[in-house]
Amino acid sequence: MDSSEVESDILRRVRALLRELDGHHPSCQSDRGMLRWTLHKKIQQNPSTSCVLVRILVKELERAERGDLRHYIIPLLHTLMYTLIQAPCVPDELCARIYDFCKRLLTLPKPFCTIGLDYASRLQVERTAPGTLYQRMVISEHSLPSAPFPYQERIFIFADPELLPEAICNALLTDTEAARLSQSPGGCMSCVVAHALQAALGDSCDIHGLRARLQGLSPGDVERCFQQVVAAVEGAGGSERGQHTARLESIYRGLLGPEPAGNAPQEGLQGTPLPNPNISFHLWTEDEQLWKELVLFLRPLSQSCEPGCLGQDLEMQDILGDCECCGQSRFSVLSTDSGIERDLPAPEEPCAPCRSRLHRKGGIKKKLSPLDGVALLQAKPPGKPPRGSGTPPPQRLHTARLVLLGDDRILGRLAQAFHSLRKREARRVFLTARLDLQFYHIPVVPGQPSGTAVSEQAGPEELCEVAGYLGRADPWYESNINTLCHIIPKLATMPSSPSRALVTDLFLTDVIAYYARMGTQPVPFQVHSVKVLFQDPAQDPAEDVFLTELLTQVQDSPSHRELNTAKRKGTLDGPGIDLTVTYRKVVLSDRQKELALSLRSTGLLMKAIPAEEVQGLGCLSVTITEIIRTNNLAGRSFSAVANRLKTRNIKVRSPEQRPFMVRLDKDSRRTYRDVIGLEVSPCLEPSYCLQKTRAMKFSSDETEDVGLVKYLPKSLLLPINTFAGVIQ
């Protein structure tokens, strides 16, 4: 295939992508989402055509800018940057055109200006030192040792085994484990070295000879060469492009030896594949599992957890109090001695200078786990400031990308875990000071209901309302991620064969990696809190949170005694129970208008996700099924009428103490029975509540925020990343 045929083929594929964004692509619905993957795979198989694709994408971006086709811009820009990161070498004049286009995006509203600024800053670094973006991505995703760039990332996939069939969980576990084992630290280091040298030297780099040389080196020599390349690339910020090339050429000649110029084989640019990121798959079986995995990411089990090693984070001096080195040594509260007097130290025994003022006498030294250390950390009183308050806060060197696999029910469980984590962090900051937490959602609808947690609602649209909202807000999410809703179950149920392994290992892993790498724009969802009051006065009210919906239904038919009592009182007025509803009406002026109504109802439904429009997050759409009684000649008849209202705060009571049932986030496991009242309001950020409580001790005004409280976020928002956020 000559160059003109290659260019026309790539142009045809890019135009097909754009038609898919318009919804006019002629392919079957099941094939949607494959176009971007096949395009990138074609370029990876023939890296010399990457510059052709970059040039075509730049032209299409400029055409979309002239034609005011803004819904094309972000998908084309993501496709362009993903190609540029993996391209073996891109001419500087082409990078300059992309950089100028990204700068022009700064005049547009969000999210265009946000993404344009991000990519413009990345391109500026890439133009100074080609290969930097590839190098940083591989280093962070595989936690390679690198002092100039010490960042680490990991992708955590969480799936609820009670919500997804076992076949899907097993297939994803097998695929992610195979992808993880296929990558070794030495192999990733060799990829970084080969890509950086080829990006700097271009056609003069003998990539085949370089790969053969790197394979023949020992692991120690590969790491030494890797550290030299990283230092050269990361240290190129203040130097000229020629100096950067000269440094890498010196490393290249040190590997292959002096060769005459132009001796490299003329086969076109041969790219270095981008290794799959470090992905771990987890079955979410424990409530605290998410928090524990994040702690172990910061403090691996292989890391030493002796008291001296934990001293920095646990601040042992503050926990144990002050003591001078020349004073008496302190003994652990956990006694390890025999209790015999002769086992205690003599009074005249001098105290040697020590790193930790905690001493143990005899016994077996117990090695703390990371979770034990964090438990000690959480137990420290939050009111006492740390010593050396002038020291800057710890830098966030770790990024955890949590991918939630499933429908709205697992997102409701995520809202619970996120609220619990924020409450823990409000008491004692540990994770959020050191960890950048990113959330992602891949909708998956099981082919058949499984487990006890399946709700009575049918249809993927009702179970995937969050994914539907994200698809309406971001067309690129709709094309690449929402299509996995039905693809993943099909791939998981394919018979075991080499073809199945080829398809799943490539497609699923690549799409998840692409989403985690390029989906950086969050869409914040309001978490709502609910207080549940029970029929039994001895039972304490329950407090919970939900993300998508709250459903109430009349619990059971009244008992024989209740029927007799109702007949005597004349209150048996058909189906349903009497309810009093008090709520604050949402008006355009944002003024609070308190309303109350009494009615007979069979239940109500509160939805937090808009069904059609993209705007309106943070407001509850409440539908109350009211029972209307009609007297006519044939007797008494009843009809159901749906009352709809919008609110942020609502209270529901049963004045007759008749119980009803409450279910949260469509999950039957989160069902409360024997309920006679509930209160729903936007969930407040726990750190805001804590600081507000402290500020109220020194201020008489309870309504006005004073001090630090004014600068804290008031509502608890759960951010879920997409490629563009919400496009206005």
Side-chain angles (χ1 to χ4, degrees):
M1 193 180 289
D2 58 17
S3 58
S4 61
E5 292 178 348
V6 169
E7 185 171 354
S8 62
D9 178 63
I10 295 177
L11 179 61
R12 178 181 57 81
R13 293 172 181 268
V14 172
R15 294 282 173 83
L17 268 180
L18 301 181
R19 288 197 302 272
E20 185 181 71
L21 288 171
D22 290 331
H24 304 317
H25 194 266
S27 64
C28 299
Q29 187 73 12
S30 59
D31 294 335
R32 294 186 66 234
M34 302 287 289
L35 296 178
R36 182 212 58 86
W37 180 72
T38 54
L39 175 63
H40 279 131
K41 277 299 165 188
K42 183 175 181 61
I43 300 302
Q44 289 175 12
Q45 293 168 3
N46 189 4
S48 61
T49 60
S50 56
C51 285
V52 178
L53 175 58
V54 170
R55 198 175 301 275
I56 289 175
L57 291 171
V58 171
K59 291 180 180 178
E60 292 297 323
L61 279 169
E62 293 170 347
R63 189 171 68 92
E65 182 184 28
R66 291 191 302 268
D68 200 23
L69 302 171
R70 292 190 180 182
H71 63 292
Y72 289 167
I73 290 178
I74 292 178
L76 287 172
L77 198 55
H78 282 316
T79 307
L80 171 61
M81 287 300 297
Y82 204 60
T83 305
L84 187 141
I85 290 172
Q86 303 178 67
C89 185
V90 178
D92 188 64
E93 56 89 13
L94 206 52
C95 290
R97 285 177 62 185
I98 306 170
Y99 179 73
D100 292 339
F101 178 84
C102 290
K103 287 198 300 183
R104 292 197 297 271
L105 291 181
L106 300 180
T107 61
L108 298 180
K110 289 183 178 181
F112 299 98
C113 60
T114 306
I115 296 175
L117 179 62
D118 179 30
Y119 282 164
S121 60
R122 293 195 202 184
L123 282 165
Q124 195 170 18
V125 173
E126 183 72 11
R127 292 180 66 189
T128 303
T132 304
L133 299 182
Y134 179 101
Q135 173 178 289
R136 289 180 175 180
M137 184 173 287
V138 176
I139 289 175
S140 60
E141 289 180 349
H142 294 273
S143 302
L144 300 180
S146 169
F149 191 76
Y151 296 92
Q152 299 182 27
E153 294 183 8
R154 186 178 299 172
I155 299 174
F156 299 83
I157 300 179
F158 276 85
D160 194 329
E162 294 188 39
L163 301 180
L164 289 180
E166 185 179 0
I168 294 180
C169 297
N170 291 338
L172 287 166
L173 178 62
T174 302
D175 294 342
T176 53
E177 187 69 15
R180 187 179 65 84
L181 294 177
S182 65
Q183 308 294 340
S184 65
C188 294
M189 291 181 187
S190 298
C191 289
V192 170
V193 172
H195 184 272
L197 294 179
Q198 188 177 27
L201 303 180
D203 290 335
S204 61
C205 176
D206 181 7
I207 191 66
H208 295 291
L210 180 61
R211 288 173 182 165
R213 175 61 178 155
L214 289 172
Q215 288 179 356
L217 294 177
S218 66
D221 291 336
V222 171
E223 183 172 356
R224 193 175 304 109
C225 182
F226 164 77
Q227 297 293 352
Q228 292 176 356
V229 170
V230 171
V233 173
E234 291 295 334
S239 61
E240 296 289 336
R241 176 76 174 266
Q243 296 176 354
H244 167 69
T245 305
R247 290 194 198 100
L248 291 181
E249 187 172 5
S250 174
I251 297 173
Y252 174 75
R253 294 304 174 195
L255 285 170
L256 294 185
E259 294 182 3
N263 201 28
Q266 301 297 320
E267 301 178 3
L269 293 173
Q270 300 295 315
T272 303
L274 182 63
N276 287 320
N278 187 1
I279 302 177
S280 59
F281 183 81
H282 305 271
L283 295 177
W284 199 350
T285 56
E286 303 176 9
D287 291 338
E288 294 289 329
Q289 186 173 354
L290 187 147
W291 178 78
K292 290 178 181 179
E293 292 294 341
L294 296 179
V295 170
L296 293 177
F297 174 45
L298 286 178
R299 292 195 168 281
L301 288 172
S302 59
Q303 183 175 328
S304 174
C305 293
E306 292 294 333
C309 182
L310 288 173
Q312 180 181 0
D313 289 334
L314 301 184
E315 300 173 8
M316 282 294 186
Q317 292 88 346
D318 288 334
I319 295 177
L320 300 175
D322 297 330
C323 76
E324 298 297 331
C325 258
C326 57
Q328 185 178 2
S329 298
R330 284 177 158 262
F331 285 88
S332 170
V333 177
L334 175 65
S335 177
T336 56
D337 58 43
S338 62
I340 303 174
E341 185 178 2
R342 67 171 177 265
D343 289 340
L344 295 175
E348 64 272 13
E349 183 178 350
C351 176
C354 56
R355 286 174 297 177
S356 172
R357 293 177 174 84
L358 177 65
H359 289 255
R360 293 182 181 272
K361 182 65 178 179
I364 300 174
K365 292 184 179 180
K366 180 181 178 182
K367 192 171 183 179
L368 297 176
S369 73
L371 298 178
D372 294 333
V374 178
L376 285 174
L377 179 73
Q378 300 288 340
K380 183 185 173 185
K384 188 175 181 181
R387 291 188 173 186
S389 56
T391 59
Q395 190 178 6
R396 289 183 174 181
L397 300 179
H398 293 71
T399 299
R401 306 191 184 277
L402 269 65
V403 181
L404 279 300
L405 206 68
D407 49 43
D408 292 343
R409 292 169 291 180
I410 195 170
L411 292 180
R413 191 175 178 188
L414 172 65
Q416 273 188 314
F418 185 58
H419 180 248
S420 175
L421 186 147
R422 294 301 306 156
K423 286 176 65 177
R424 192 192 299 264
E425 291 293 295
R427 293 191 301 268
R428 175 66 179 175
V429 177
F430 176 71
L431 285 178
T432 52
R434 299 162 175 81
L435 181 69
D436 183 15
L437 196 57
Q438 305 283 328
F439 295 106
Y440 302 79
H441 174 47
I442 296 180
V444 178
V445 176
Q448 304 218 344
S450 62
T452 59
V454 176
S455 66
E456 290 78 7
Q457 298 179 359
E461 293 79 11
E462 296 189 17
L463 284 175
C464 297
E465 289 182 320
V466 173
Y469 179 89
L470 295 176
R472 293 191 299 271
D474 181 3
W476 200 230
Y477 180 92
E478 177 69 25
S479 295
N480 290 277
I481 305 303
N482 268 349
T483 51
L484 298 178
C485 183
H486 303 285
I487 292 178
I488 289 179
K490 290 180 180 178
L491 293 178
T493 54
M494 288 176 60
S496 298
S497 63
S499 61
R500 178 204 175 276
L502 180 65
V503 172
T504 55
D505 287 349
L506 290 178
F507 181 71
L508 287 182
T509 307
D510 286 354
V511 173
I512 293 173
Y514 177 76
Y515 180 27
R517 286 165 172 165
M518 311 305 288
T520 59
Q521 303 303 310
V523 177
F525 289 87
Q526 174 68 60
V527 180
H528 288 84
S529 64
V530 55
K531 183 177 181 181
V532 180
L533 308 176
F534 297 99
Q535 188 180 30
D536 185 2
Q539 189 173 358
D540 294 332
E543 295 185 358
D544 207 336
V545 297
F546 69 93
L547 184 70
T548 57
E549 77 169 35
L550 180 149
L551 174 68
T552 73
Q553 291 178 340
V554 176
Q555 185 167 303
D556 293 310
S557 300
S559 64
H560 181 69
R561 178 179 299 178
E562 289 176 335
L563 279 174
N564 292 335
T565 305
K567 287 179 181 179
R568 286 197 302 268
K569 294 182 178 180
T571 58
L572 188 60
D573 294 331
I577 60 176
D578 290 334
L579 295 177
T580 59
V581 180
T582 306
Y583 67 98
R584 294 178 185 175
K585 186 177 181 181
V586 174
V587 293
L588 292 177
S589 61
D590 205 23
R591 294 176 180 175
Q592 294 183 359
K593 188 176 181 180
E594 196 92 10
L595 296 175
L597 54 93
S598 298
L599 46 81
R600 191 166 189 86
S601 173
T602 57
L604 58 87
L605 178 64
M606 303 181 191
K607 282 197 171 289
I609 311 298
E612 298 295 337
E613 69 275 5
V614 174
Q615 303 295 327
L617 281 178
C619 180
L620 287 171
S621 298
V622 184
T623 303
I624 306 176
T625 305
E626 182 181 3
I627 301 300
I628 304 296
R629 183 183 64 182
T630 305
N631 294 322
N632 48 36
L633 295 176
R636 184 178 296 176
S637 62
F638 303 93
S639 59
V641 177
N643 290 333
R644 292 180 174 84
L645 53 94
K646 286 187 176 293
T647 183
R648 291 188 177 91
N649 302 75
I650 186 171
K651 298 179 182 179
V652 180
R653 293 286 190 275
S654 172
E656 299 176 350
Q657 304 290 304
R658 289 275 302 279
F660 54 90
M661 174 271 294
V662 175
R663 188 178 69 209
L664 303 178
D665 286 321
K666 311 165 191 175
D667 195 342
S668 61
R669 296 171 300 179
R670 301 178 60 196
T671 300
Y672 295 91
R673 304 184 68 85
D674 299 327
V675 178
I676 60 169
L678 58 90
E679 300 175 6
V680 176
S681 60
C683 186
L684 298 179
E685 168 66 42
S687 59
Y688 170 86
C689 297
L690 181 63
Q691 293 296 332
K692 180 76 172 178
T693 304
R694 292 176 179 175
M696 286 172 57
K697 297 179 181 179
F698 307 99
S699 176
S700 58
D701 190 358
E702 298 183 2
T703 59
E704 184 178 355
D705 293 339
V706 294
L708 181 64
V709 184
K710 294 188 294 186
Y711 306 101
L712 292 175
K714 187 173 182 179
S715 296
L716 181 63
L717 303 177
L718 178 64
I720 299 179
N721 280 12
T722 65
F723 300 101
V726 179
I727 298 181
Q728 304 293 339

